[in-house]
Amino acid sequence: MPTPRPVKSKPVLADLGLQGGGAHGAFTWGVLDRLLEEPWLKYDGISGTSAGAMNAAVMVDGYAAGGADGARQALERFWRAVSDAARFSPIRRGPLEVITGNWTLDYSPLFVAMDLAARVVSPYDLNPLASNPLEKILFEQIDFDRLKQAPIKLFVTATNVRTGRGRVFRNADVTPDVLLASACLPTMFQAVEIDGDAYWDGGYSGNPSMAPLIRECSSHDTIIVQINPIERPGTPRTAREIHNRLNEIAFNSTLIKELRAAALLRQVADPGSGEGKLLARMRLHRIASDIMLDLGYSSKMLAEWDFFLMLRDAGRSAAALFLEQHGADLGVRSTLDIDEFLEGI
C-alpha cells in the first residue's frame, strides 16, 4: 500500500542540508525525489557539500526550469549521466560480487591498487592534467546562468587549502569549478583553483554548512539528509574497516560541531536577541538509513546504474518513512533533538 501523505492546509517552507559521500549521494537523490512529490513542501534554501552540492545544484536548477517535476527529472538525468560516463570504467565489481549482490569494490584489483597509490603518490603525479570526468557532466546537466537567478537559495561549501576554513558559495558564485572543488578529495584530485585560492572537499569544513540556512533563509525547518553514519556498532579491526570508520568520523565531525554549537547557543542566548530568535525558532529534522551501515568506503566509487537505483529506492523509502512519522511535525516542532549532541561535553 502507498504511504499515506500528511494532510497540510498550508504550504510548509523548508531548507535542506545535504551531506557528501560520493556515489552514496544517489541515496540523497531518492530522498529528494520523494520529497518533491509533496506539493505542500516548498524550499527556501539548500546547503550541500560534495555529492550533496551536486544534488543541490541540479535540484535548484531543475526546479527553476520546471518546478518540482523539473527537479525530479533533472536529478534522474544527472545520475544517469554519471553512470553512463563510468560504463566502461575498469573500476568495477568482480563476477562474484555481482552474483552475490555485494556492493563493494574491496576485491577489485584496480581499485585496491589505486587506493594504495593514492596514499603514497600525489594526484599531481598520477593525474598531471587534472582531468575530472564530472566536469563535462556538470556543464551538460546544469544551466549555470539560470542557477544564478533561481528562486531557491543555494549554498555550496568548499575548503580553502591555505586557510583550512570553509567558504560558502552562493547561487551567483556557483560554477562547475566550485562544485568540483566541493567534491575534491585531496588524495585523488588536484586542488581546484578559484579566485586565486586552492580548494579541497567541503566535507572537511562543513558537511553541510548549517549557518547560511539559519542566517539567510526564512524557513525555520531544516531537513538534514545524512549519508555518513554517526554511530556504527562494533570496533573496526581490519585496515579497511578502520579507514572506513575514520572517513565517516571525519566527514561527520563538522556537522556535529555545528549542531553542538547551535544547541549550546540556544540554551544560553537571549531569546529576544537576533541570534537568540533565530535559534529559538529553529526546527531540525533528519533523514537517514541503516543501509549505509552495510556499505563501505569503496562503494562510494561505484557508479553502476543498478547501484544508483538501489540507493535511490532506499532514499525514497527513508523519505516516505520520515513523512509518515514526522510529516505532521514539519512547521510545528523539531524531530531531531540536538541537545543530545551535548552529552559528554
Side-chain angles (χ1 to χ4, degrees), residues 60-136:
V60 170
D61 178 50
Y63 206 101
D69 287 341
R72 294 182 66 206
Q73 293 166 12
L75 284 162
E76 181 168 358
R77 285 196 305 269
F78 171 77
W79 285 98
R80 171 63 85 173
V82 173
S83 177
D84 287 346
R87 185 176 297 166
F88 300 108
S89 169
I91 305 177
R92 304 186 71 82
R93 291 184 299 159
L96 181 60
E97 287 72 56
V98 173
I99 293 171
T100 59
N102 195 3
W103 300 108
T104 181
L105 291 170
D106 288 353
Y107 308 103
S108 163
L110 185 56
F111 172 80
V112 172
M114 289 184 61
D115 189 42
L116 289 172
R119 299 166 197 256
V120 294
V121 183
S122 165
Y124 291 83
D125 298 321
L126 287 174
N127 185 12
L129 298 179
S131 61
N132 190 325
L134 281 174
E135 184 174 12
K136 182 174 183 289

Side-chain angles (χ1 to χ4, degrees), residues 6-25:
V7 177
K8 291 284 186 180
S9 58
K10 295 181 180 179
V12 173
L13 191 63
D15 302 323
L16 297 170
L18 310 181
Q19 274 200 329
H24 294 182

Side-chain angles (χ1 to χ4, degrees), residues 10-318:
K10 295 181 180 179
V12 173
L13 191 63
D15 302 323
L16 297 170
L18 310 181
Q19 274 200 329
H24 294 182
F27 172 83
T28 302
W29 163 31
V31 170
L32 299 177
D33 189 65
R34 179 63 184 84
L35 294 180
L36 285 163
E37 291 180 347
E38 301 298 328
W40 55 271
L41 263 178
K42 305 300 179 183
Y43 303 97
D44 188 14
I46 308 178
S47 179
T49 297
S50 193
M54 296 185 188
N55 274 318
V58 171
M59 175 177 161
V60 170
D61 178 50
Y63 206 101
D69 287 341
R72 294 182 66 206
Q73 293 166 12
L75 284 162
E76 181 168 358
R77 285 196 305 269
F78 171 77
W79 285 98
R80 171 63 85 173
V82 173
S83 177
D84 287 346
R87 185 176 297 166
F88 300 108
S89 169
I91 305 177
R92 304 186 71 82
R93 291 184 299 159
L96 181 60
E97 287 72 56
V98 173
I99 293 171
T100 59
N102 195 3
W103 300 108
T104 181
L105 291 170
D106 288 353
Y107 308 103
S108 163
L110 185 56
F111 172 80
V112 172
M114 289 184 61
D115 189 42
L116 289 172
R119 299 166 197 256
V120 294
V121 183
S122 165
Y124 291 83
D125 298 321
L126 287 174
N127 185 12
L129 298 179
S131 61
N132 190 325
L134 281 174
E135 184 174 12
K136 182 174 183 289
I137 294 172
L138 293 171
F139 270 114
E140 292 175 347
Q141 297 296 321
I142 299 173
D143 185 331
F144 287 89
D145 288 330
R146 182 168 58 211
L147 191 67
K148 297 179 191 300
Q149 308 298 325
I152 299 176
K153 302 179 186 72
L154 175 63
F155 307 102
V156 173
T157 302
T159 303
N160 186 303
V161 178
R162 177 176 54 85
T163 66
R165 296 174 60 186
R167 175 178 172 183
V168 177
F169 297 84
R170 291 155 179 82
N171 296 60
D173 305 316
V174 174
T175 64
D177 277 347
V178 166
L179 294 175
L180 291 175
S182 183
C184 178
L185 289 172
T187 58
M188 296 183 61
F189 299 104
Q190 293 187 26
V192 179
E193 186 172 313
I194 302 170
D195 299 332
D197 269 321
Y199 287 88
W200 280 339
D201 196 298
Y204 298 110
S205 53
N207 193 19
S209 292
M210 301 295 291
L213 296 178
I214 297 170
R215 295 175 177 173
E216 300 179 37
C217 293
S218 301
S219 169
H220 302 308
D221 286 80
T222 297
I223 303 171
I224 300 169
V225 183
Q226 190 150 28
I227 289 179
N228 302 293
I230 290 181
E231 295 186 11
R232 181 178 286 274
T235 302
R237 297 188 180 278
T238 69
R240 187 174 288 123
E241 290 172 345
I242 292 169
H243 182 70
N244 180 59
R245 188 56 184 149
L246 283 172
N247 181 275
E248 290 173 345
I249 292 172
F251 282 97
N252 273 327
S253 62
T254 53
L255 174 63
I256 291 173
K257 286 179 181 178
E258 284 200 75
L259 294 177
R260 282 175 175 166
L264 184 60
L265 286 171
R266 192 161 64 179
Q267 289 182 2
V268 301
D270 178 0
S273 68
E275 193 79 8
K277 284 182 180 178
L278 290 175
L279 293 168
R281 293 183 297 184
M282 180 176 65
R283 296 184 289 266
L284 287 174
H285 316 272
R286 177 170 59 194
I287 298 177
S289 172
D290 286 344
I291 193 173
M292 294 304 173
L293 295 174
D294 299 325
L295 299 175
Y297 168 77
S298 70
S299 63
K300 292 183 178 182
M301 297 283 292
L302 190 58
E304 295 179 34
W305 182 239
D306 286 346
F307 182 54
F308 289 166
L309 290 180
M310 183 277 292
L311 286 171
R312 180 205 63 184
D313 292 346
R316 283 186 55 85
S317 296

Side-chain angles (χ1 to χ4, degrees), residues 310-331:
M310 183 277 292
L311 286 171
R312 180 205 63 184
D313 292 346
R316 283 186 55 85
S317 296
L321 181 61
F322 170 80
L323 289 169
E324 180 182 358
Q325 295 179 338
H326 301 301
D329 296 314
L330 289 168

